[in-house]
Amino acid sequence: MSGDRDSAVGEQGARSKEKAAKRATGAAAGNAAAGPGKRSGAPAKRPAKPAKQESHLAMVRRARRINRELAEVYPYAHPELDFRNPFELLVATVLSAQTTDLRVNQTTPALFAAYPTPEDMAAAVPEKLEEIIRPTGFFRAKARSLIGLSAALRDDFGGEVPGRLADLVKLPGVGRKTANVVLGNAFGVPGITVDTHFGRLVRRWKWTEQEDPEKVEAEIAAIFPKSEWTMLSHRVVFHGRRICHSRKPACGACPIAGLCPAYGEGETDPEKAKKLLKYEMGGRPGQRLSPPPDYPGSPAPPLGAG
């Protein structure tokens, strides 16, 4: 596992881990619905709507409180792509475009067995590489990116993944989002990862009105200290995947309902909302085949298993 994630989790302490484990069991859904400090199963109360003209300072304070609450709910938040080194994380992140982390994790074991280094992948026969990554979708374009970035790593960086944003974004198929994932989780360099979940939630929470990922990144970066950027990204994405869904948020099972100006867009009945929870919050497997040891859920199955 990456060192920065282990360090971040370690800072939460044993008490936070115990809370996380409880939330991830069948009874955890009730705890999540109740929110921090409330009895399990207690229905989430409809929050008072924030003032129509919430000041910037009030928004910043609310945003930082949401981050603190999410840190209590997800002290085990982590990148949900399996990887053992920066190259594997870079490749997995490129593959994750337009598909799920689960499908990527089910595909990469065979991929890295065949092409463990940039030199190996740069020399790959395109058709053979395409066949391995076919389950992730858009496999021809992704194969071109993987061969191209591997060749660039071999020729320009001595076969090593660079640890600078300016270098990473020059690689084929690598944009700011991918670069920030690699920097934050393989090199410990703080970064904000604006994927679809992150963008949806920060707009839903009225932290920004921007749609362009780079503008979203800049505005959110101004709200939080740099040291929080990487873990903030994980917490927000975790919440978007587990509770604050796109089409039907589980508002009645949301631990930050009282801080959310969009409360009521989804299911507010606590019992119905519990049924919408996903992954460990809903008592089901996560996305990683090899999750960190403190992850309270169960590993995902390999490709073709069940």
Side-chain angles (χ1 to χ4, degrees):
M1 300 305 106
S2 62
D4 61 288
R5 185 187 68 246
D6 292 339
S7 175
V9 172
E11 292 173 0
Q12 299 300 326
R15 183 171 61 83
S16 293
K17 289 182 180 180
E18 290 175 1
K19 290 182 180 179
K22 291 179 181 178
R23 287 189 176 97
T25 61
N31 290 340
K38 297 181 181 179
R39 291 196 316 274
S40 174
K45 294 182 179 179
R46 184 181 183 87
K49 289 288 184 181
K52 291 183 179 179
Q53 299 298 325
E54 182 182 39
S55 70
H56 179 73
L57 177 59
M59 181 276 290
V60 169
R61 287 174 173 169
R62 180 171 57 83
R64 292 183 176 183
R65 184 178 172 190
I66 286 176
N67 183 42
R68 291 194 299 271
E69 297 282 358
L70 292 180
E72 288 288 321
V73 178
Y74 308 111
Y76 52 88
H78 59 275
E80 294 191 89
L81 290 168
D82 287 328
F83 69 99
R84 295 169 296 185
N85 55 57
F87 176 62
E88 290 190 358
L89 179 58
L90 176 61
V91 169
T93 306
V94 170
L95 289 176
S96 70
Q98 310 267 323
T99 190
T100 64
D101 286 358
L102 170 60
R103 184 49 58 93
V104 174
N105 292 336
Q106 292 174 325
T107 302
T108 51
L111 177 65
F112 295 134
Y115 311 107
T117 69
E119 292 82 1
D120 295 321
M121 196 167 288
V125 175
E127 291 77 14
K128 291 184 178 179
L129 178 59
E130 289 172 4
E131 190 59 32
I132 294 174
I133 66 172
R134 181 185 290 269
T136 69
F138 301 94
F139 56 92
R140 291 189 179 89
K142 289 179 180 179
R144 287 195 296 271
S145 293
L146 294 185
I147 292 174
L149 72 83
S150 296
L153 293 177
R154 178 196 61 196
D155 298 340
D156 301 333
F157 298 99
E160 299 292 333
V161 176
R164 295 197 319 142
L165 180 67
D167 292 329
L168 284 167
V169 296
K170 292 178 182 178
L171 299 173
V174 178
R176 285 186 68 91
K177 184 189 82 171
T178 295
N180 279 329
V181 170
V182 173
L183 290 173
N185 299 288
F187 292 101
V189 178
I192 292 175
T193 303
V194 183
D195 69 354
T196 55
H197 299 286
F198 190 94
R200 179 180 76 249
L201 266 63
V202 297
R203 285 187 289 271
R204 190 171 274 174
W205 294 335
K206 308 299 182 186
W207 294 0
T208 181
E209 294 181 353
Q210 299 293 341
E211 295 284 344
D212 179 79
E214 288 195 32
K215 293 180 179 179
V216 171
E217 181 185 338
E219 291 200 359
I220 303 307
I223 296 174
F224 296 93
K226 194 172 183 178
S227 60
E228 285 291 304
W229 290 355
T230 299
M231 288 308 299
L232 169 73
S233 300
H234 292 323
R235 293 165 192 152
V236 173
V237 171
F238 257 57
H239 194 63
R241 287 174 171 170
R242 286 149 176 79
I243 296 178
C244 197
H245 313 307
S246 177
R247 295 184 180 179
K248 197 169 185 180
C251 294
C254 181
I256 59 166
L259 298 169
C260 181
Y263 176 85
E265 288 186 8
E267 180 58 65
T268 58
D269 180 85
E271 293 304 317
K272 292 180 181 179
K274 288 179 189 177
K275 298 177 182 179
L276 301 175
L277 301 180
K278 295 184 179 180
Y279 303 114
E280 79 283 353
M281 299 298 281
R284 290 182 287 276
Q287 297 202 80
R288 295 189 66 166
L289 278 66
S290 301
D294 52 354
Y295 176 64
S298 56
L303 192 65

